[in-house]
C-alpha cells in the first residue's frame, strides 16, 4: 500500500514540476513577445518603419499585434504622403512670384512666403504674431479684417512705398478651417502697368508724329486742287508735299526697324571689317550737310582696331546715326570728331561734337523712343527714333553705348564693341 502511495505522490510531484516548468517557459516566451512588441512600438514612435513585421506569433495576441502593426504602417504611409505634400506646397509657395500670406482665425500670421516677406518687409519672426501689429499697410490690414469677418473675396490695387515704388494687386479670400481664416495674394503688376503705359505713350507719339506731316500734305493738296493753274504755287506746294511724305516714310521705316529689333528678328552677321574705310564712308555720307554748315569732321583710327570682327552694316547704321546727329545739333563752324581706339580686347568708337551737348537730366533718357531734349529744337528731318534704334543695334552687336558731355562743351557718344565677339 505504502509503496503505491509513495509512487503516486512522486508521480504527482513530478507532474507538478513539469507543469511549473512548462508554465515558466510559456511566461518567458510571452514576456519575450511583449518586449518585441514594445521595441517595435518604440521604433514606430521614432518613425522607423524600415524593418519587416516581426513574428508576433499565431495566437490571438499575435493577431491583435499584427492588426495594430498594419494600422500603424498605414497611418505612417499617410503621414509620409502628408509631409511630401507639405514639402511640395512649401516649394511651390517659395518659388511663387506672387506673395502669399495666411492669417488664422485668431488673426495670427500662419504662413508668409518669401515674395510676401519681401514686398511687405516682414522677417521670419513675424510668424505667429497678430497681423494687425505686424503689417504696416492700413489698406491691406483693412482688407484682411474684412476677410476674417466673412466679407466676400475682394481685389484692390495699391502702391507700396518701396524704393522704387511697386504697384500691387491684393486679393483677399476667407476660408474655413477650425474657425475662419483669410488668405492674401499679392501680385506685383508694376512692370505690366509700366509696359502698358509705354505702349499708350508710343501709340500717342506715333499718332502725333504722323499727324503733323499728314495735315501738311492734306492742306497743300487741297490748295492745289482749289487752284490747279498757279504754276509757281504748284511747284512750291508739291515740293512741300514731297518733303512731308518723305518724313512720314522715314518715320514708318524707323518704326518697322524698331519692331524688327524688338522681335529679335535682326541678328548679327559678323565678318572681318576694316574700320577706317567704314568710318570714312559715313563721313562722306554726311559731307554735303557738314560742308554747308562749314563744319570740320575729323577721323582717327588707331592701328590696334584697324580691323575688327563685327556686323559691318549694323555698325555703319550706328555710326551714321551718331554722326548725323552730331552734324545736325552742332552749329555752323563747329567740329565733329570720330575716334576709334582699342582697350582690353574692346574697340571704342567715340563721336564727339562742339554743339550744345545734352542737359545732365536728359543724359539717361535720350535713348528712349521719341525722347527729345527740346521739342522746339528738334531737327526737321528727325524722327526721334534714331538713338532708340542705335541702342538696340549696339545690343545686337554685344556692345554698349553711353552719352556724356565734354568738359569743353558738346556731346560725346561712346560706343564699346567686342573686337571679336563670341557668339556673334
Ligand atoms: P532725333 O530724330 O530727334 O535726332 P534721336 O533719337 O536721334 O532723335 O535723338 C534724340 C534726342 O537726343 C534728340 O532729339 C536731341 O535732343 C538729343 N541729341 C542726340 N544727339 C545729340 C547731339 N549730338 N547733341 C545734342 N543733342 C543730341
Amino acid at each position: 500500500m505504502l509503496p503505491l502511495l509513495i509512487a503516486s505522490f512522486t508521480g504527482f510531484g513530478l507532474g507538478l514540476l513539469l507543469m511549473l516548468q512548462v508554465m515558466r517557459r510559456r511566461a518567458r516566451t510571452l514576456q519575450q513577445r511583449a518586449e518585441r512588441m514594445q521595441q517595435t512600438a518604440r521604433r514606430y514612435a521614432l518613425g522607423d518603419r524600415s524593418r519587416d513585421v516581426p513574428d508576433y506569433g499565431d495566437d490571438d495576441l499575435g493577431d491583435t499585434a499584427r492588426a495594430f502593426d498594419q494600422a500603424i504602417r498605414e497611418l505612417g504611409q499617410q503621414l509620409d504622403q502628408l509631409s511630401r505634400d507639405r514639402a511640395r506646397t512649401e516649394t511651390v509657395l517659395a518659388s511663387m512670384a506672387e506673395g502669399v500670406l495666411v492669417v488664422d482665425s485668431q488673426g495670427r500670421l500662419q504662413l508668409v512666403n518669401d515674395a510676401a516677406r519681401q514686398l511687405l518687409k516682414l522677417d521670419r519672426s513675424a510668424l505667429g504674431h497678430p497681423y494687425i501689429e505686424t503689417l504696416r499697410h492700413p489698406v491691406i490690414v483693412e482688407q484682411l479684417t474684412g476677410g476674417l469677418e466673412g466679407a466676400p473675396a475682394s481685389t484692390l490695387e495699391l502702391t507700396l512705398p518701396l524704393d522704387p515704388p511697386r504697384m500691387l494687386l491684393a486679393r483677399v479670400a476667407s476660408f474655413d478651417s477650425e474657425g475662419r481664416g483669410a488668405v492674401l495674394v499679392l501680385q506685383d503688376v508694376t512692370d505690366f502697368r509700366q509696359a502698358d503705359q509705354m505702349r499708350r505713350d508710343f501709340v500717342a507719339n506715333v499718332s502725333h508724329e504722323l499727324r503733323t506731316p499728314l495735315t501738311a500734305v492734306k492742306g497743300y493738296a487741297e490748295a492745289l486742287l482749289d487752284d490747279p493753274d498757279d504754276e509757281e504755287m504748284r511747284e512750291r506746294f508739291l515740293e512741300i508735299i514731297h518733303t512731308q511724305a518723305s518724313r512720314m516714310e522715314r518715320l514708318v521705316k524707323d518704326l518697322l526697324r524698331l519692331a524688327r529689333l524688338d522681335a529679335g528678328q535682326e541678328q548679327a552677321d559678323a565678318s572681318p571689317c576694316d574700320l577706317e574705310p567704314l568710318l570714312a564712308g559715313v563721313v562722306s555720307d554726311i559731307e554735303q550737310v557738314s560742308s554747308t554748315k562749314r563744319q570740320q569732321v575729323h577721323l582717327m583710327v588707331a592701328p590696334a582696331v584697324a580691323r575688327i570682327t563685327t556686323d559691318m552694316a549694323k555698325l555703319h547704321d550706328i555710326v551714321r546715326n551718331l554722326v548725323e546727329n552730331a552734324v545736325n545739333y552742332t552749329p555752323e563752324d563747329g567740329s565733329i570728331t570720330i575716334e576709334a581706339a582699342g582697350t582690353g580686347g574692346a574697340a571704342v568708337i567715340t563721336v564727339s561734337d562742339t554743339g550744345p551737348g545734352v542737359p545732365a537730366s536728359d543724359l539717361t533718357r535720350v535713348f528712349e523712343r521719341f525722347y527729345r531734349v527740346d521739342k522746339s529744337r528738334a531737327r526737321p528731318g528727325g524722327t526721334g527714333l534714331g538713338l532708340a534704334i542705335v541702342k538696340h543695334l549696339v545690343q545686337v552687336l554685344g556692345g554698349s553705348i553711353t552719352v556724356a558731355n565734354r568738359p569743353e562743351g558738346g556731346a560725346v557718344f561712346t560706343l564699346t564693341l567686342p573686337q571679336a565677339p563670341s557668339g556673334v
Side-chain angles (χ1 to χ4, degrees):
M1 184 70 190
L2 191 65
L4 192 67
L5 210 63
I6 292 173
S8 1
F9 268 117
T10 313
F12 178 72
L14 278 173
L16 203 67
L17 262 175
L18 204 69
M19 217 169 80
L20 274 173
Q21 193 75 14
V22 168
M23 278 174 67
R24 209 170 27 232
R25 198 171 298 146
R26 288 194 77 181
R28 207 169 40 236
T29 316
L30 209 64
Q31 191 186 353
Q32 281 169 350
R33 287 169 66 196
E35 273 169 13
R36 237 186 346 258
M37 288 174 200
Q38 282 169 17
Q39 273 171 11
T40 311
R42 274 196 289 274
R43 251 193 318 111
Y44 286 164
L46 293 172
D48 177 8
R49 280 173 285 112
S50 58
R51 274 175 253 172
D52 289 339
V53 179
D55 179 12
Y56 291 128
D58 295 328
D59 53 5
D60 286 350
L61 182 65
D63 289 346
T64 312
R66 258 189 302 281
F68 270 116
D69 197 287
Q70 180 67 14
I72 289 170
R73 279 173 182 265
E74 275 167 19
L75 266 175
Q77 276 163 10
Q78 285 172 17
L79 273 176
D80 284 352
Q81 185 59 39
L82 269 176
S83 63
R84 274 198 298 273
D85 287 352
R86 195 191 164 95
R88 194 170 44 216
T89 309
E90 273 170 9
T91 312
V92 170
L93 283 169
S95 58
M96 271 174 77
E98 284 84 9
V100 178
L101 180 146
V102 178
V103 173
D104 66 15
S105 57
Q106 309 296 308
R108 289 175 308 224
L109 295 182
Q110 205 176 42
L111 184 152
V112 185
N113 76 346
D114 289 348
R117 235 191 303 274
Q118 273 169 22
L119 286 169
L120 301 174
K121 296 267 167 259
L122 291 173
D123 55 40
R124 281 175 201 280
S125 62
L127 274 183
H129 290 279
Y131 72 98
I132 296 195
E133 289 170 17
T134 38
L135 299 183
R136 268 165 278 147
H137 307 284
V139 190
I140 295 179
V141 168
E142 205 177 302
Q143 214 189 353
L144 275 169
T145 307
L148 286 176
E149 286 168 359
S154 62
T155 303
L156 52 88
E157 187 160 344
L158 59 127
T159 303
L160 288 188
L162 300 174
D163 186 23
R166 308 302 298 173
M167 279 175 256
L168 298 184
L169 277 187
R171 268 189 295 274
V172 165
S174 56
F175 63 90
D176 266 315
S177 145
E178 296 167 17
R180 188 183 287 122
V183 55
L184 164 77
V185 178
L186 297 168
Q187 189 185 355
D188 190 336
V189 290
T190 317
D191 294 345
F192 174 74
R193 290 279 183 268
Q194 277 170 354
D196 194 43
Q197 188 56 44
M198 269 167 69
R199 189 185 54 78
R200 283 166 206 260
D201 292 349
F202 186 69
V203 171
N205 276 321
V206 171
S207 316
H208 175 80
E209 294 289 331
L210 278 174
R211 199 172 51 209
T212 317
L214 207 59
T215 311
V217 168
K218 191 162 175 268
Y220 286 106
E222 278 167 4
L224 279 175
L225 285 170
D226 286 346
D227 191 358
D229 299 328
D230 186 334
E231 195 66 32
E232 192 209 331
M233 187 181 87
R234 197 169 67 206
E235 197 151 319
R236 208 156 42 87
F237 284 10
L238 279 175
E239 206 146 295
I240 296 172
I241 289 173
H242 181 260
T243 307
Q244 296 301 332
S246 305
R247 187 174 160 189
M248 284 193 281
E249 190 188 24
R250 264 198 307 278
L251 183 66
V252 171
K253 221 174 85 199
D254 280 359
L255 283 171
L256 287 174
R257 182 143 209 208
L258 261 183
R260 270 206 313 276
L261 285 163
D262 268 343
Q265 285 168 353
E266 286 207 28
Q267 307 294 326
D269 181 12
S271 59
C273 151
D274 292 323
L275 262 190
E276 166 89 39
L278 185 141
L279 299 176
V282 173
V283 174
S284 82
D285 286 349
I286 49 93
E287 198 147 27
Q288 210 188 344
V289 188
S290 61
S291 59
T292 312
K293 291 176 87 174
R294 293 183 308 277
Q295 291 167 335
Q296 288 184 1
V297 183
H298 308 284
L299 170 62
M300 283 166 276
V301 178
V305 287
R307 172 169 279 210
I308 65 168
T309 301
T310 192
D311 184 320
M312 273 197 273
K314 290 190 177 56
L315 180 57
H316 179 274
D317 290 351
I318 293 168
V319 180
R320 161 101 196 229
N321 225 301
L322 298 178
V323 176
E324 216 171 69
N325 274 348
V327 170
N328 281 310
Y329 293 105
T330 301
E332 291 183 349
D333 300 314
S335 70
I336 288 107
T337 306
I338 309 160
E339 245 184 303
T343 43
V348 180
I349 301 172
T350 54
V351 176
S352 49
D353 60 53
T354 55
V358 178
S361 55
D362 294 298
L363 284 171
T364 53
R365 301 205 58 188
V366 288
F367 293 101
E368 288 174 20
R369 290 153 200 221
F370 294 115
Y371 193 81
R372 287 180 174 127
V373 170
D374 177 359
K375 298 259 179 215
S376 62
R377 234 174 44 187
R379 62 190 172 99
T383 61
L385 294 175
L387 288 181
I389 293 176
V390 162
K391 193 173 175 202
H392 262 295
L393 288 174
V394 172
Q395 273 166 5
V396 174
L397 298 190
S400 62
I401 185 159
T402 54
V403 57
N405 287 309
R406 300 181 326 133
E408 55 274 51
V412 51
F413 286 81
T414 305
L415 166 66
T416 308
L417 290 177
Q419 280 201 44
S422 56
V424 170

